[in-house]
Amino acid sequence: MENFSFSLLNPDSEIPYHLLLLADETKEAIDQYIFKSDIYLLHNGIENIAVMALCKISETELEIKNVAVTESYRSKGIGSILMNKAKEIAKKGHYKTLTVGTSDTGFQQIRFYKKNGFIKTGIRKDFFTENYPLPIYENGLQMRDMVLLTHHLAE
């Protein structure tokens, strides 16, 4: 197993859009949340291989706004490493819940979050049709609704 390390991006550092765009469609969409988020990078000693943006929603809720892994590191457990790190950060911050939203057409992502202890808690109807200027397709289907998933943190 490779030796990975996490770092919190300094607010003065350049935003790693090349990684964030692996999980979001446009820079404009990313800009809606990124300046209110903490950005974590996962390094393999040579390069940044993954990114995660976490945003405080309330005193009790932390939301995963973006999580992405470079293609060559996918299906190797990196996403679960990121989820464990998000849970650790949320617990240290005394949050009660960690939430994430993904497209209703993101079947693989929904399975991934459920595998990592998240449960489906809601739907944001027409999120993708109202917040993106052009239709977005995934798995041959137009993205419309956002599925909300929550992980309740143990005390």
Side-chain angles (χ1 to χ4, degrees), residues 102-113 138-139 143:
T102 193
S103 169
D104 57 344
T105 61
F107 310 121
Q108 184 177 348
Q109 296 92 311
I110 293 168
R111 273 194 308 275
F112 167 77
Y113 289 119
E138 183 177 32
N139 295 318
M143 294 167 55

Side-chain angles (χ1 to χ4, degrees), residues 21 24-34 131-132:
L21 284 165
D24 214 329
E25 307 309 312
T26 66
K27 182 181 178 293
E28 292 76 23
I30 292 167
D31 286 345
Q32 295 295 312
Y33 61 79
I34 204 64
N131 290 286
Y132 290 85

Side-chain angles (χ1 to χ4, degrees), residues 53-126:
L54 302 177
C55 183
K56 177 181 178 178
I57 301 301
S58 71
E59 294 301 316
T60 61
E61 181 182 5
L62 188 64
E63 183 174 357
I64 301 169
K65 290 289 194 176
N66 188 306
V67 61
V69 178
T70 57
E71 196 162 335
S72 61
Y73 278 88
R74 291 184 189 157
S75 301
K76 297 180 186 216
I78 303 300
S80 293
I81 291 171
L82 293 169
M83 290 301 98
N84 289 334
K85 184 66 172 178
K87 291 172 191 175
E88 176 188 316
I89 291 165
K91 283 181 184 177
K92 283 184 181 174
H94 305 289
Y95 293 98
K96 303 278 187 238
T97 58
L98 182 62
T99 61
V100 66
T102 193
S103 169
D104 57 344
T105 61
F107 310 121
Q108 184 177 348
Q109 296 92 311
I110 293 168
R111 273 194 308 275
F112 167 77
Y113 289 119
K114 286 182 175 181
K115 182 184 97 172
N116 280 278
F118 288 75
I119 57 170
K120 185 176 167 183
T121 52
I123 298 281
R124 286 187 188 149
K125 291 295 278 174
D126 298 319

